[in-house]
Amino acid sequence: MKAVVYTQYGSPDVLQLKEVAKPTPTDDEVLIKIEAVSVNRSDWEGLIGKPLYARIGGLLKPRRQVLGSDIAGRVEMVGRNIKRLKPGDEVFGDIMAQMGGFAEYVCVREKPLALKPASMTFEEVAALPQAAVIALQGIRDKGQVQPGQQVLINGAGGGAGTFAVQLAKSYGAEVTGVDNTGKLDFMRSLGADHVIDYTREDFTKNGKQYDLILDLIAHRSVFAYRRALRPTGRYFFVGGSVATLFQILLLGPLIRRTTGKNIRLLAVQPNLNDLVNVTELCEAGKLFPVIDRRFPLHEVPEALRYLGEGSARGKVIITLEQSDQ
Ligand SMILES: NC(=O)c1ccc[n+]([C@@H]2O[C@H](COP(=O)([O-])OP(=O)(O)OC[C@H]3O[C@@H](n4cnc5c(N)ncnc54)[C@H](OP(=O)(O)O)[C@@H]3O)[C@@H](O)[C@H]2O)c1
């Protein structure tokens, strides 16, 4: 089968399309023929090896040689202990714990896989797992957004941000989206009430305060976030610099005790219920995946470059239904 392989951290140039052995499922795995897989910032971080947490398990060389975590495809074969899925089922899910989605086939346990609703395409469901679940857990579960609250989403024009803006609006919040100059109209089109261009304005220095800040790309000091929160506000670090991450771990509890402002990390827990919830929201027309561009498998390097170098609006999808098969 074809797979996009890398053996060292670096630019998209280190990725190679190769012929590798088609995997065989163990008793506890299913073999998936991949139809679509989305590109996440976590793939980009795994490619370049930055921030440092992207090297967990592989400090000098990547632990996994095939990136790609948000897969959608058909079950081709099942192991002996598989109870829930059968050959022919159309499924999707986040396989971030093992990766391997930038390939024609992958073997995975059945636990992270949900059934694809008939009303959605493989590309649409591939856009959901990581990005929409980050948004769901950040806005609904941890953020507990209420009508009328002020919500700021930093990185609102990217994969998770586009879902977070839609969800926060659906809970009745007044939403501020922060992203680059080229994405301001795009964030408005998703429903953002206010937009901030991060290349021109620092949202922690304009005197405004928020009930919830969902930070998809954090790099400021913890004190800047404290300043931008209302007295009982919540801030969640989803991804960003290691320096900010450590500050939040060390100083977040102290800030909570002394000010009541809640500054924490959001460690996303992939689970089937949330995947089903987001597909139900999509089917009900309350949430929609925004697919910016599609690339065939052999153009995974271009797709990652497009996302990593800052052009993508919403999701970038690798589709295997195109020229690779
Ligand atoms: N906590 C967890 O459990 C967990 C799990 C999975 C993933 N993650 C993290 O979740 C995040 C999700 O990202 P994603 O997939 O939505 O990424 P994405 O699609 O790349 O979106 C990120 C957006 O942020 C923008 N941006 C870049 N620098 C910015 C800045 N300084 N201020 C404001 N916006 C900026 C980007 O725009 P440009 O075009 O200008 O770059 C892009 O539009 C990643 O950081 C990933 O590591 C966390």
Side-chain angles (χ1 to χ4, degrees):
M1 69 162 188
K2 295 191 187 83
V4 178
V5 176
Y6 79 132
T7 53
Q8 56 177 319
Y9 296 114
S11 75
D13 298 335
V14 302
L15 294 162
Q16 287 179 296
L17 182 71
K18 283 195 170 171
E19 282 292 332
V20 300
K22 183 175 166 184
T24 310
T26 65
D27 289 349
D28 298 314
E29 287 180 334
V30 298
L31 173 68
I32 308 286
K33 180 175 184 295
I34 297 173
E35 300 290 344
V37 49
S38 71
V39 181
N40 285 292
R41 182 160 289 264
S42 50
D43 296 308
W44 173 253
E45 293 168 345
L47 172 67
I48 64 172
K50 289 185 203 152
L52 204 57
Y53 59 70
R55 295 187 183 223
I56 289 174
L59 190 60
L60 302 177
K61 285 200 295 193
R63 186 167 57 113
R64 312 277 186 203
Q65 296 194 341
V66 180
L67 292 163
S69 63
D70 284 2
I71 59 160
R74 279 192 187 80
V75 176
E76 192 167 282
M77 200 190 288
V78 300
R80 254 188 299 180
N81 299 334
I82 299 298
K83 301 277 183 287
R84 190 166 54 88
L85 298 176
K86 59 181 188 318
D89 282 348
E90 298 182 341
V91 295
F92 71 106
D94 177 356
I95 58 164
M96 198 179 176
Q98 70 167 78
M99 308 296 266
F102 296 153
E104 290 178 310
Y105 294 88
V106 70
C107 284
V108 284
R109 289 177 172 262
E110 68 177 339
K111 194 173 168 204
L113 300 173
L115 287 171
K116 177 181 92 60
S119 63
M120 295 181 76
T121 65
F122 284 112
E123 294 181 358
E124 286 169 342
V125 292
L128 299 177
Q130 208 175 100
V133 170
I134 287 174
L136 196 68
Q137 294 186 9
I139 298 294
R140 183 194 66 180
D141 303 345
K142 301 289 180 185
Q144 295 176 11
V145 170
Q146 305 293 326
Q149 285 191 328
Q150 293 291 329
V151 172
L152 180 136
I153 295 153
N154 193 38
T162 51
F163 289 111
V165 171
Q166 296 178 57
L167 277 174
K169 283 303 297 175
S170 75
Y171 284 106
E174 189 168 327
V175 177
T176 301
V178 185
D179 214 302
N180 71 36
T181 321
K183 299 186 190 176
L184 302 181
D185 282 341
F186 174 60
M187 291 189 289
R188 285 189 195 101
S189 74
L190 295 167
D193 301 286
H194 315 281
V195 293
I196 294 177
D197 177 351
Y198 76 79
T199 66
R200 289 164 191 240
E201 184 181 337
D202 181 339
F203 73 84
T204 65
K205 289 187 179 158
N206 62 12
K208 301 210 172 92
Q209 291 190 318
Y210 300 90
D211 298 292
L212 172 69
I213 298 173
L214 188 67
D215 201 348
L216 301 158
I217 192 118
H219 62 273
R220 294 179 174 82
S221 94
V222 73
F223 302 109
Y225 298 126
R226 181 183 66 177
R227 191 167 57 232
L229 279 183
R230 285 183 163 177
T232 55
R234 299 165 189 219
Y235 167 93
F236 289 101
F237 171 108
V238 182
S241 82
V242 172
T244 301
L245 186 149
F246 278 120
Q247 276 194 30
I248 290 171
L249 285 175
L250 290 173
L251 300 174
L254 185 67
I255 292 176
R256 270 201 300 283
R257 273 201 302 278
T258 53
T259 67
K261 296 183 182 185
N262 210 332
I263 299 185
R264 292 175 184 269
L265 305 183
L266 173 64
V268 176
Q269 311 292 337
N271 67 79
L272 220 47
N273 275 348
D274 284 355
L275 271 190
V276 173
N277 283 172
V278 293
T279 50
E280 285 168 355
L281 288 168
C282 290
E283 286 189 292
K286 293 182 177 161
L287 194 67
F288 55 92
V290 181
I291 297 177
D292 178 357
R293 279 186 67 180
R294 296 157 172 87
F295 293 83
L297 183 65
H298 68 270
E299 287 182 11
V300 163
E302 286 72 22
L304 275 159
R305 188 172 280 120
Y306 183 67
L307 179 115
E309 294 182 351
S311 314
R313 296 168 191 204
K315 295 293 296 182
V316 174
I317 305 285
I318 307 300
T319 172
L320 284 90
E321 291 158 311
Q322 284 186 6
S323 60
D324 289 295
Q325 293 181 334

